Amino acid sequence: MEKDQSEESHGRRGTTLVESEEGTKLELTVDEVVEAYVGSLGLSQILHVLVVSFAWIFDAHSTLVTIFSDAQPPSWRCKNGVYCAAGHGGSVCGLVPGSWEWVGGDRSSTVAEWGLICDRKFLAAVPASVNFLGSLLGSAIFGHLADTWLGRKRAVMISCILTSITFFATSYSPNIYAYAFFRFATGFARSGIGISCIVLATESVGRKWRGQAGQYSFFFYTIGFLSLPLLAYPTRTNWRNLYKFLSILPLGYAIIILPWVSESPRWLLIRGRSKDALKVLKYFAKINGKDEFPQNLTLANPSELKDEESGTISNKRENLWTTKWAAKRMVLVMIAGLGVGFVYYGVQLNMGNLNFNLYVSVAINAVMEIPAVFAGSFLLGFSKRRLLFSVSSYVAGVSCILCLIFSRGYSNSKARDKFGGNWGQLIVEAVGFMGSSLAYDILYIYCVELFPTNVRNFAVSMLRQTAMLGGSVAPLLVVVGRLSPSLSFIVFGVLSIASGVLSIWIPETRNAPLYETLKQQEEMEALNHVSNGHSKCLEFGK
């Protein structure tokens, strides 16, 4: 009887002493071991987070490379000294084929090589759109496999190798249709990087540092974004060379660096590999200079549930969608992610519609992600997730709408003929992008904290799927924005504000523990809710 009560106590609090033939064993949760014997954030976890987060560079490259590879060339000229009169607004659509050429050459972008202008202009949006659709499908598959079979580390490794292969294959695309297929394949391949890296990084640190650990991931995404103009400029006369160079980086990371990374102890635990999980924790503690692990320490595994009838221990599989509270929470996060993803990726891809030099505007937007990451790391330490997400979304939305005011009186053709442009519009757009970047980053951290270990990777993958779905529609709006920039900015602004409003119905998670199973989280949150309600009643009585 006492033993049963002890096990029930462990299910609620996570800590218990269990009698066995070998003596008394001290059972602790992963959170308790990290806080008591490993350290909330030591040297080992910092190195772990940095090395894991490095892979986000490749995620940024695979997502945003089309800004340059699929860009419409800035200028054209008459060919071989032949006079050619452009149509309305300087358009080449009415010119005789062969009488003009792009200044940068036919291989400067896919648009130039395959003539994706005039009546074929919407084909230019297809590769970027299907890339997001590929990521949507890949997120579902990698998210499930990373929770069940592969684990976080192997999911990242496979994703990096596949990304390298598809990048290289893309450089040999014979036409727009093959190119779109390979972009879809790249989207599928790279989807395992983002979702698994952020989970692998945050599951190794104490609860106080989860937000900051997640922000390191986005810092490396920013590095990838910032490096793109530097890589694209030398290859501006041949977009195929850009893809070939980018294919080298993820392969080198997967072969040379990733084998040194440890698997998540939380995932090892819920897969029944408690000895391996404890080994990882001891390894982290050793690097942190803490060797005082109790000899009788074992890890409590909430996923091992006792069958009352048979008395046996079983590892019960739980389903997020059949758990009412979790499904409701997931739907809200996904809808918010749809709007945030649409705005975050859309604003980046829409930079070609700004009245400014493309390379300069991309570099400035990439730089704006740096203060967003540092601001997020600082604010997540003491601010509520819900408030921070909603405010960031509102800033992004209002800034996008303000871009309309600064865009009046300028034309794209004027800006493309010189280095300068509309600085007012660029500054407001950059502030809006910083807001959308902050909202995007925070929502991922928020999602990690909203769900337990046994469905956490899947939950993050579902968020990523909806973000990618929003991203897949964004390129179509970008093409429309070449005809009407005001429409694209209005849509981005409204959707960003709507995503911020949705956060009202998502619970706060600041300083909340990371639970291991849906059942455990449901019981503990209900218990906390009752305790908080009781405390409020006492305060009211006073």
Side-chain angles (χ1 to χ4, degrees):
M1 180 69 178
E2 292 179 358
K3 186 177 180 181
D4 290 342
Q5 289 176 347
S6 176
E7 289 174 351
E8 288 180 11
S9 174
H10 157 61
R12 290 192 299 270
R13 296 189 304 271
T15 308
T16 187
L17 293 173
V18 179
E19 296 291 340
S20 68
E21 295 179 359
E22 300 175 359
T24 303
K25 289 185 177 180
L26 176 64
E27 275 195 344
L28 298 177
T29 64
V30 174
D31 269 335
E32 290 168 335
V33 174
V34 169
E35 298 293 343
Y37 301 106
V38 177
S40 187
L41 182 69
L43 177 62
S44 62
Q45 290 121 311
I46 292 175
L47 293 174
H48 176 82
V49 170
L50 290 176
V51 173
V52 168
S53 300
F54 189 86
W56 274 80
I57 292 177
F58 320 129
D59 188 79
H61 287 168
S62 61
T63 304
L64 305 174
V65 63
T66 52
I67 294 176
F68 298 102
S69 64
D70 300 0
Q72 182 164 314
S75 57
W76 57 274
R77 64 192 172 198
C78 295
K79 197 173 182 179
N80 299 325
V82 177
Y83 173 76
C84 49
H88 178 69
S91 172
V92 298
C93 294
L95 298 180
V96 177
S99 65
W100 63 277
E101 62 183 358
W102 298 112
V103 172
D106 289 343
R107 292 205 166 191
S108 60
S109 74
T110 58
V111 172
E113 182 169 345
W114 295 317
L116 306 180
I117 56 174
C118 304
D119 58 337
R120 288 165 55 87
K121 62 180 176 294
F122 281 100
L123 280 175
V126 172
S129 291
V130 298
N131 176 262
F132 287 112
L133 292 176
S135 186
L136 188 154
L137 176 63
S139 294
I141 294 176
F142 275 106
H144 176 71
L145 292 178
D147 274 336
T148 56
W149 179 51
L150 288 177
R152 284 63 160 129
K153 176 182 173 179
R154 281 188 292 181
V156 176
M157 179 174 289
I158 292 173
S159 190
C160 285
I161 293 172
L162 291 177
T163 298
S164 175
I165 293 171
T166 54
F167 259 142
F168 190 75
T170 303
S171 68
Y172 287 97
S173 302
N175 52 53
I176 182 61
Y177 304 105
Y179 177 72
F181 170 78
F182 286 125
R183 289 299 297 153
F184 176 87
T186 302
F188 179 90
R190 60 104 176 180
S191 58
I193 296 176
I195 57 178
S196 298
C197 282
I198 191 170
V199 173
L200 185 56
T202 54
E203 286 185 340
S204 65
V205 302
R207 69 178 66 177
K208 179 182 177 182
W209 299 100
R210 286 198 305 259
Q212 289 84 340
Q215 285 293 302
Y216 284 131
S217 300
F218 302 118
F219 177 75
F220 281 96
Y221 183 92
T222 302
I223 293 176
F225 187 12
L226 188 58
S227 66
L228 260 180
L230 302 177
L231 299 174
Y233 190 76
T235 61
R236 62 190 179 279
T237 57
N238 193 330
W239 63 269
R240 296 176 187 271
N241 290 339
L242 176 60
Y243 278 96
K244 289 176 182 176
F245 181 77
L246 293 179
S247 69
I248 300 173
L249 304 180
L251 183 63
Y253 173 82
I255 295 175
I256 300 172
I257 299 177
L258 199 54
W260 299 95
V261 172
S262 300
E263 181 56 88
S264 165
R266 295 179 185 274
W267 181 80
L268 292 170
L269 178 62
I270 65 168
R271 296 301 297 167
R273 298 167 58 182
S274 58
K275 290 183 179 179
D276 290 334
L278 195 58
K279 185 177 179 181
V280 171
L281 291 172
K282 288 181 178 179
Y283 173 72
F284 283 157
K286 183 178 180 180
I287 297 178
N288 289 346
K290 297 186 176 184
D291 296 324
E292 299 178 359
F293 254 70
Q295 294 297 320
N296 62 339
L297 177 64
T298 60
L299 294 176
N301 187 357
S303 65
E304 292 182 349
L305 304 176
K306 185 172 181 180
D307 190 313
E308 295 181 358
E309 295 182 1
S310 64
T312 59
I313 300 295
S314 64
N315 205 317
K316 184 178 178 181
R317 295 295 177 88
E318 296 179 303
N319 192 313
L320 184 150
W321 294 118
T322 58
T323 307
K324 187 176 179 181
W325 68 267
K328 179 181 177 181
R329 188 176 295 184
M330 189 75 255
V331 169
L332 288 171
V333 171
M334 289 170 66
I335 296 174
L338 180 67
V340 168
F342 185 91
V343 176
Y344 178 70
Y345 291 114
V347 168
Q348 294 175 74
L349 298 174
N350 197 50
M351 282 183 284
N353 293 330
L354 290 175
N355 301 318
F356 217 89
N357 178 277
L358 178 61
Y359 290 90
V360 175
S361 59
V362 170
I364 290 176
N365 273 265
V367 169
M368 292 302 289
E369 281 224 63
I370 297 176
V373 171
F374 282 108
S377 299
F378 174 72
L379 294 172
L380 281 168
F382 61 86
S383 299
K384 293 184 177 180
R385 275 56 167 151
R386 182 165 52 194
L387 176 64
L388 200 53
F389 171 73
S390 59
V391 170
S392 302
S393 299
Y394 298 151
V395 169
V398 171
S399 298
C400 285
I401 294 174
L402 285 177
C403 279
L404 295 175
I405 300 174
F406 290 94
S407 66
R408 293 181 181 179
Y410 290 83
S411 64
N412 286 339
S413 59
K414 176 183 176 181
R416 286 170 178 158
D417 288 337
K418 59 181 181 179
F419 177 80
N422 189 341
W423 278 98
Q425 186 191 47
L426 180 63
I427 292 172
V428 173
E429 185 273 343
V431 171
F433 175 68
M434 186 174 70
S436 68
S437 175
L438 189 56
Y440 184 88
D441 297 353
I442 292 167
L443 187 58
Y444 270 89
I445 305 300
Y446 207 173
C447 186
V448 167
E449 297 178 341
L450 283 167
F451 299 95
T453 301
N454 65 340
V455 296
R456 184 171 297 124
N457 222 83
F458 177 75
V460 175
S461 76
M462 295 303 296
L463 167 61
R464 189 171 179 83
Q465 285 181 68
T466 51
M468 294 304 103
L469 181 61
S472 68
V473 181
L476 300 175
L477 186 62
V478 171
V479 172
V480 173
R482 292 172 184 171
L483 303 174
S484 176
S486 345
L487 177 62
S488 58
F489 286 123
I490 289 175
V491 174
F492 290 141
V494 171
L495 282 177
S496 184
I497 293 172
S499 296
V501 172
L502 273 176
S503 64
I504 295 173
W505 293 280
I506 303 176
E508 181 55 52
T509 60
R510 178 174 173 252
N511 289 333
L514 287 183
Y515 300 104
E516 311 303 338
T517 67
L518 289 166
K519 181 178 176 61
Q520 181 199 28
Q521 183 161 346
E522 183 177 13
E523 291 176 350
M524 293 302 295
E525 287 185 351
L527 184 64
N528 291 336
H529 180 72
V530 172
S531 300
N532 291 337
H534 181 64
S535 299
K536 290 180 180 178
C537 287
L538 291 176
E539 290 178 6
F540 181 75
K542 290 181 181 180

